[in-house]
Amino acid sequence: MKVIFLDIDGVLNSRAYDRKRNWDELTNIDESRLPLVKNIVDETGARIVLSSTWKTHWDKLPEKCDTDGIYINETFAKFGLEIYDKTPDLGIDFDRPDEIKAWLDCARETIESFVIIDDYRYAWGKLADRFVKTNPHFGLGLENEHVQKAVEILNKTD
């Protein structure tokens, strides 16, 4: 199985999007970024695992999702996308790389390849070669160049 560890803020939205979106409605996801995620999924067959702080709103069982989790599911579904899983919340003493490592260690299927798409430079360590950094400040978050890099990482044969 191939996996996309996906952040939301800074990947599926940006400062430019924040200037034009409707703040009176739930519009945190810039839907123009989702066809790019779909391209990665279509070209690699990867499954999406939420690594974003938004994961607290989402659950595999739709009835356990809160309003924001339902929004994520509905917005992704518009583009034929679905969330497969989410990384565990390990508490305040741990950060995103730790959560991704924990998810990988407990994966029920063999992980053939994975990519991490995020806008924040955590101390990725051994995961650094799997990291694709977006730029929400001077870019639009996820862009074509990131899609190409993610596809290369996911489809790379050693």
Side-chain angles (χ1 to χ4, degrees):
M1 176 171 75
K2 296 178 183 180
V3 176
I4 303 165
F5 289 101
L6 186 65
D7 183 25
I8 291 181
D9 290 324
V11 174
L12 300 183
N13 57 37
S14 63
R15 283 188 177 175
Y17 175 69
D18 283 347
R19 287 192 291 274
K20 66 180 183 179
R21 75 182 191 144
N22 182 348
W23 287 87
D24 294 328
E25 296 178 11
L26 193 52
T27 56
N28 298 70
I29 296 172
D30 177 355
E31 292 186 18
S32 74
R33 305 296 90 200
L34 288 173
L36 298 172
V37 175
K38 178 85 166 117
N39 287 347
I40 299 169
V41 170
D42 288 348
E43 291 187 41
T44 65
R47 294 190 173 174
I48 300 168
V49 174
L50 278 183
S51 56
S52 170
T53 55
W54 279 73
K55 67 186 177 189
T56 61
H57 304 285
W58 183 89
D59 193 272
K60 279 187 175 188
L61 299 172
E63 62 271 15
K64 289 190 174 185
C65 290
D66 66 13
T67 302
D68 291 335
I70 293 167
Y71 164 71
I72 292 168
N73 282 339
E74 290 176 350
T75 305
F76 274 58
K78 288 180 192 177
F79 297 88
L81 295 167
E82 64 180 36
I83 307 299
Y84 173 73
D85 201 1
K86 63 182 176 180
T87 55
D89 184 353
L90 301 176
I92 198 161
D93 293 332
F94 298 90
D95 58 17
R96 197 158 294 167
D98 298 315
E99 294 171 345
I100 289 171
K101 288 175 194 168
W103 190 94
L104 289 166
D105 288 343
C106 294
R108 292 184 294 278
E109 295 183 45
T110 300
I111 306 303
E112 177 185 341
S113 185
F114 67 91
V115 68
I116 302 160
I117 305 175
D118 206 306
D119 66 313
Y120 192 78
R121 288 192 188 276
Y122 292 96
W124 291 108
K126 292 181 180 179
L127 302 176
D129 63 338
R130 303 261 173 205
F131 173 56
V132 175
K133 185 186 182 309
T134 62
N135 188 338
H137 304 290
F138 299 104
L140 300 174
L142 186 65
E143 298 188 61
N144 284 319
E145 65 192 67
H146 307 119
V147 170
Q148 291 170 352
K149 186 174 180 186
V151 168
E152 285 174 16
I153 290 169
L154 287 166
N155 285 339
K156 183 179 178 182
T157 55
D158 294 326

